[in-house]
Amino acid sequence: MKETIAYLKERFEQALIAAFGEDLAATDPMLVPASNPKFGDYQSNVAMALAKRLGKAPRAIAEEIVQKLDVADLCERPTIAGAGFINLALKTDYLKAQIKAIQSDARLGAALTSDPQRVIVDYPSPNIAKEMHVGHLRPSFIGDSISRVLEFLGHDVIRLNHVGDWGTPFGLLIAYVREAYPEALNSSQGLVLGDLATLYRAAKVRFDEDETFQEAARRSVVQLQAGDAETLRAWQLVCDLSNQTNRKFFEWMGLSASIQERGESFYNPLLADVIAELDRLGLLVEDDGAQCVFLEGFTNKEGNPLPLIVQKSGGGYNYASTDLAAIRYRVTVDRAQRVIYPVGMEQMNHFAQIFQVGKRAGWITDEVEFFYAPLGFILGEDGKKLKSRSGEAVRLVDLLEEAIARARIDLETRLVAEGREETEEFIANVAKIVGISAVKYADLSQNRTSNYVFSFDKMLALQGNTAPYMLYAYVRVQGISRKGEIDFEKLGADAPIVLQEETELALAKYILQLDEVLGSVEAELMPNRLCEYLFELSKKFNQFYDRCPILQAEEPSRTSRLILADLTARTIKLGLSLLGIPVLERM
Ligand code: ARG
């Protein structure tokens, strides 16, 4: 189903052409949802925007537009307000038909894109020599949600885990494997030992206590980059171990199973060629033995252009070299049309710099959008970056496990209060879903560019814009619609829709906005818009439920209201699934 706003835009374009000629063919009608219901449903201020260009008063322009505007099938007669705002109110019959149409639509009216793109989302991209920590929380959840929304809208989404699997920290692990597990290097078994965390901690202890070990670690990095076979074997063992650990972890966190590992090491064989190409293009300058591209718009303290090192003196490569190779590969081989990097704010300059070089090298053209989605920091209650008691970055697994443990305590308390008995299986499942979803939702419901304070109490609260609240809303609304004992699927075109009460109409209109909300998430990559929408939807449902009896209502209102309840529940379920949150039928 085509979204209402898209229809209205078309009609406006036609009216603008009819009134002022072909010159205005590509004019944006500037339609937005009305700020206040008394102005109707949509408002356009295009008349004001055109005043200068047409040399007429905005009100006169608005009148001419309205005369040519043919929206009678969707809207009441358009009205003009104030300086020249054009207000549109949707017809109840149109809304009824829309509700009826989405009732039998699994996508709830959310249209597939007319312009499917190949999109790469680069996430969660941790450095795998170490364990995932709180810094990976936002890339994981925001990357996952963006991917889900784009995929749902019909884009071809490739999720690439650009793991830091190359370079310095690996020396430590390789040296340790050589020292502690020499037999693993020669057997085909692989490394049979605990998890990566244990391995890393042991390696770190060795590194801190022994200088010869430090030397061995450094040598291992050089050997790795030189392609030494035995070193590569040790490296592979560590990577396999790490990827296995991470994969289990991704699954546990509820990230999409279709994330592909394509780490920094993947680009290693391509790096020399990337540098050679930059050289051919005349972009390379040698500075202090290193190969650099001098950046435009980045200067050092003395006001001189800043160099981006793409090959270190001595021939080694760095983070920027790899990312440049990835840019080129994503354009030329993957044929991506949009590449999205949800990565922490602290890497803002890195992305601005590599994108600039990518553009100057001709890899990034107007045909492809490279989008860095900066992520704000997660702060502790003290307002500083969240740290563990020992002062290190908090391990992500600890954070999520604590959330689950707290969700479990909340649940058990509630069970006692309600005199309910549940199986251990039920309790464990609800606690896990509520705990992880609470952390996820708290993150996703923030504007991704802002910092936020991490608070278990807030995110686990049953009130407010939280996961527990939304999960409850689903259980409750779903429960109401189930009690009606109606087979919604069978209703089809016979579904009676009555939209009389104000709150009933408001809820119906809001349900119909899902499509627009997803469109805005698609354009701006802000999952918090979806959270806000779901929260507001459940509030609109509550207002409706307060005013309108459902089960006790007379037919046809009873069935109609049950349909609204069912649509609300389905919208919440679909919306949460696009945030990576599964619903519970009981909690
Ligand atoms: N591995 C990096 C880190 O943990 C993030 C990588 C982001 N992706 C990229 N293509 N640079 O800081």
Side-chain angles (χ1 to χ4, degrees):
M1 192 181 63
K2 195 151 170 186
E3 47 187 309
T4 303
I5 201 152
Y7 270 125
L8 293 176
K9 278 189 178 155
E10 265 178 27
R11 306 295 172 84
F12 260 84
E13 281 163 21
Q14 289 158 3
L16 283 164
I17 294 173
F20 306 109
E22 282 292 334
D23 273 6
L24 292 192
T27 311
D28 175 4
M30 309 183 72
L31 269 171
V32 290
S35 51
N36 185 326
K38 78 171 191 252
F39 300 135
D41 299 300
Y42 294 95
Q43 192 166 60
S44 160
N45 52 7
V46 70
M48 271 80 91
L50 288 175
K52 217 168 170 189
R53 177 159 169 197
L54 297 174
K56 291 186 187 177
R59 254 199 108 89
I61 298 175
E63 266 151 29
E64 281 185 71
I65 297 174
V66 166
Q67 265 176 24
K68 305 281 181 198
L69 189 61
D70 175 16
V71 286
D73 51 340
L74 290 83
C75 300
E76 307 293 348
R77 265 188 71 80
T79 57
I80 300 172
F85 292 101
I86 302 172
N87 294 334
L88 300 168
L90 295 170
K91 277 187 176 159
T92 306
D93 279 346
Y94 170 76
L95 293 168
K96 284 188 196 166
Q98 298 284 92
I99 289 285
K100 199 177 280 195
I102 68 167
Q103 207 277 120
S104 53
D105 175 10
R107 302 181 57 83
L108 299 172
L112 285 166
T113 174
S114 55
D115 175 25
Q117 290 185 317
R118 174 158 299 165
V119 185
I120 290 177
V121 186
D122 180 317
Y123 84 99
S125 308
N127 294 331
I128 58 174
K130 289 201 209 156
E131 240 183 307
M132 287 177 76
H133 55 78
V134 60
H136 301 114
L137 189 151
R138 307 205 77 186
S140 297
F141 295 151
I142 292 175
D144 206 53
S145 172
I146 288 175
S147 306
R148 284 173 196 268
V149 171
L150 295 178
E151 196 162 63
F152 178 72
L153 296 179
H155 297 288
D156 173 17
V157 177
I158 307 176
R159 299 159 163 90
L160 292 182
N161 188 14
H162 188 85
V163 277
D165 60 356
W166 203 243
T168 325
F170 273 86
L172 190 90
L173 290 161
I174 294 171
Y176 186 72
V177 169
R178 279 200 175 118
E179 181 179 280
Y181 302 94
E183 70 290 354
L185 287 172
N186 304 314
S187 86
S188 53
Q189 289 251 310
L191 218 45
V192 189
L193 43 92
D195 56 8
L196 182 78
T198 323
L199 187 76
Y200 189 81
R201 268 194 292 277
K204 187 79 172 65
V205 169
R206 286 290 294 126
F207 190 84
D208 290 341
E209 72 187 6
D210 184 350
E211 263 178 44
T212 33
F213 185 88
Q214 289 171 16
E215 190 39 45
R218 274 190 281 274
R219 209 170 356 153
S220 300
V221 179
V222 178
Q223 291 170 326
L224 177 66
Q225 302 202 330
D228 171 64
E230 196 246 0
T231 311
L232 277 172
R233 173 102 183 98
W235 169 79
Q236 192 62 55
L237 290 173
V238 173
C239 287
D240 290 350
L241 180 65
S242 177
N243 282 338
Q244 277 163 27
T245 315
N246 276 349
R247 284 231 83 91
K248 269 187 246 150
F249 192 49
F250 293 172
E251 191 194 316
W252 183 75
M253 289 201 290
L255 304 190
S256 161
S258 49
I259 298 177
Q260 299 173 35
E261 255 89 45
R262 198 196 277 170
E264 294 180 5
S265 62
F266 174 87
Y267 302 97
N268 191 48
L270 309 173
L271 296 175
D273 191 48
V274 166
I275 305 302
E277 188 168 337
L278 291 175
D279 197 16
R280 265 202 310 284
L281 293 165
L283 290 171
L284 275 198
V285 178
E286 191 173 316
D287 187 47
D288 228 356
Q291 298 299 324
C292 307
V293 177
F294 277 90
L295 297 160
E296 292 159 4
F298 289 90
T299 46
N300 61 16
K301 282 198 209 88
E302 289 78 45
N304 299 320
L306 208 65
L308 176 70
I309 299 181
V310 295
Q311 188 171 22
K312 298 187 273 192
S313 60
Y317 298 104
N318 61 14
Y319 188 46
S321 343
T322 310
D323 255 327
L324 288 171
I327 289 177
R328 192 178 73 158
Y329 195 89
R330 289 166 183 186
V331 176
T332 58
V333 182
D334 293 323
R335 305 246 162 238
Q337 294 158 287
R338 195 177 191 193
V339 186
I340 302 166
Y341 300 80
V343 181
M345 210 62 125
E346 69 281 6
Q347 297 199 28
M348 172 122 26
N349 279 341
H350 167 74
F351 284 101
Q353 295 173 353
I354 59 165
F355 289 174
Q356 180 189 117
V357 175
K359 276 189 197 126
R360 286 165 63 193
W363 303 324
I364 302 182
T365 60
D366 290 346
E367 310 296 303
V368 41
E369 180 193 10
F370 274 76
F371 188 87
Y372 165 55
L375 309 176
F377 296 113
I378 300 182
L379 309 175
E381 310 258 5
D382 59 0
K384 300 205 186 101
K385 262 204 200 172
L386 193 66
K387 291 262 161 67
S388 71
R389 237 166 278 145
S390 59
E392 290 155 34
V394 185
R395 295 162 69 215
L396 194 45
V397 63
D398 290 344
L399 206 74
L400 294 172
E401 270 174 356
E402 179 161 357
I404 296 173
R406 289 183 184 234
R408 187 182 176 108
I409 295 171
D410 289 353
L411 173 60
E412 283 170 343
T413 314
R414 202 157 42 77
L415 291 180
V416 172
E418 292 171 9
R420 269 165 69 192
E421 274 216 43
E422 298 287 356
T423 62
E424 168 55 27
E425 196 191 345
F426 175 90
I427 295 175
N429 181 50
V430 173
K432 181 182 168 206
I433 290 185
V434 171
I436 292 185
S437 302
V439 179
K440 229 182 238 196
Y441 193 91
D443 194 65
L444 293 170
S445 59
Q446 297 291 324
N447 182 316
R448 62 169 161 69
T449 61
S450 349
N451 300 343
Y452 71 88
V453 174
F454 190 94
S455 156
F456 282 120
D457 288 338
K458 271 208 195 119
M459 63 182 67
L460 285 162
L462 269 175
Q463 292 309 324
N465 191 8
T466 65
Y469 173 84
M470 287 312 309
L471 290 168
Y472 257 108
Y474 175 77
V475 171
R476 198 170 63 101
V477 180
Q478 161 73 9
I480 295 168
S481 75
R482 195 174 340 128
K483 275 201 204 115
E485 294 187 335
I486 285 184
D487 186 345
F488 295 105
E489 274 171 33
K490 281 228 181 87
L491 287 172
D494 297 332
I497 306 291
V498 184
L499 301 176
Q500 250 156 14
E501 294 292 325
E502 204 179 306
T503 53
E504 195 170 41
L505 200 60
L507 176 63
K509 283 181 184 173
Y510 209 72
I511 289 173
L512 291 169
Q513 280 175 28
L514 175 69
D515 201 26
E516 277 165 40
V517 172
L518 294 180
S520 93
V521 178
E522 173 190 31
E524 286 153 67
L525 308 175
M526 294 277 196
N528 60 315
R529 297 271 162 76
L530 181 53
C531 298
E532 272 156 33
Y533 171 74
L534 295 175
F535 185 51
E536 187 58 38
L537 177 66
S538 71
K539 286 201 279 189
K540 290 256 180 334
F541 180 85
N542 290 343
Q543 286 155 4
F544 156 73
Y545 193 48
D546 264 358
R547 302 298 304 258
C548 303
I550 298 182
L551 294 164
Q552 266 69 38
E554 299 284 324
E555 287 298 359
S557 276
R558 182 179 185 274
T559 300
S560 172
R561 288 175 182 174
L562 282 165
I563 289 173
L564 289 182
D566 176 58
L567 280 172
T568 304
R570 283 164 61 197
T571 306
I572 295 175
K573 182 174 179 178
L574 174 63
L576 289 177
S577 82
L578 296 177
L579 298 170
I581 296 178
V583 294
L584 292 158
E585 295 304 319
R586 226 158 55 77
M587 63 191 279

